[in-house]
Amino acid sequence: MSNNGNFIAISGSESDTEGDTFRGFVKLYGSDNTLLYKFETESIDEVAPIVNVAMSGNGKRLAIGAVFPTGNSTVAVSGVKVYDLTEENKYGQIGDIIAAGIMG
């Protein structure tokens, strides 16, 4: 939650309708419970990704930690992506993923 209480970020995971692929997400809400933005990971087979989120005091920077697919179905990278709120009130990724490890 931001220092002034105007933003809160909630992370979780969800499956497709068949339940065989999973995606992590972070939802950013405003103080009036309005969904402002939703970040999603790409789908991962068989296991629900754990997604963590940290927010700066002013709510304008998010650090999202998760397992991110690489495009190779047998390899994924665990790490953090950092996002900043732009002047257009959208979040843009800053730099590349900060990799913690490779799985697969």
Side-chain angles (χ1 to χ4, degrees), residues 37-69:
Y37 207 83
K38 183 177 180 182
F39 301 86
E40 294 180 328
T41 66
E42 294 177 39
S43 295
I44 298 175
D45 294 339
E46 300 176 7
V47 59
I50 297 171
V51 179
N52 296 299
V53 62
M55 177 183 286
S56 66
N58 65 8
K60 294 186 177 185
R61 182 169 286 177
L62 297 175
I64 299 174
V67 174
F68 300 98

Side-chain angles (χ1 to χ4, degrees), residues 9-66:
I10 300 171
S11 64
S13 59
E14 56 196 7
S15 67
D16 63 4
T17 54
E18 291 81 33
D20 57 358
T21 61
F22 299 87
R23 163 185 322 260
F25 66 84
V26 171
K27 293 180 180 179
L28 178 68
Y29 290 92
S31 59
D32 61 353
N33 257 358
T34 301
L35 178 63
L36 302 174
Y37 207 83
K38 183 177 180 182
F39 301 86
E40 294 180 328
T41 66
E42 294 177 39
S43 295
I44 298 175
D45 294 339
E46 300 176 7
V47 59
I50 297 171
V51 179
N52 296 299
V53 62
M55 177 183 286
S56 66
N58 65 8
K60 294 186 177 185
R61 182 169 286 177
L62 297 175
I64 299 174

Side-chain angles (χ1 to χ4, degrees), residues 7 28 36-37 39 55-56 58-62 82-86 88-94:
F7 302 103
L28 178 68
L36 302 174
Y37 207 83
F39 301 86
M55 177 183 286
S56 66
N58 65 8
K60 294 186 177 185
R61 182 169 286 177
L62 297 175
V82 179
Y83 296 87
D84 258 354
L85 186 64
T86 66
E88 298 82 31
N89 287 328
K90 295 183 179 181
Y91 280 89
Q93 184 175 335
I94 302 171

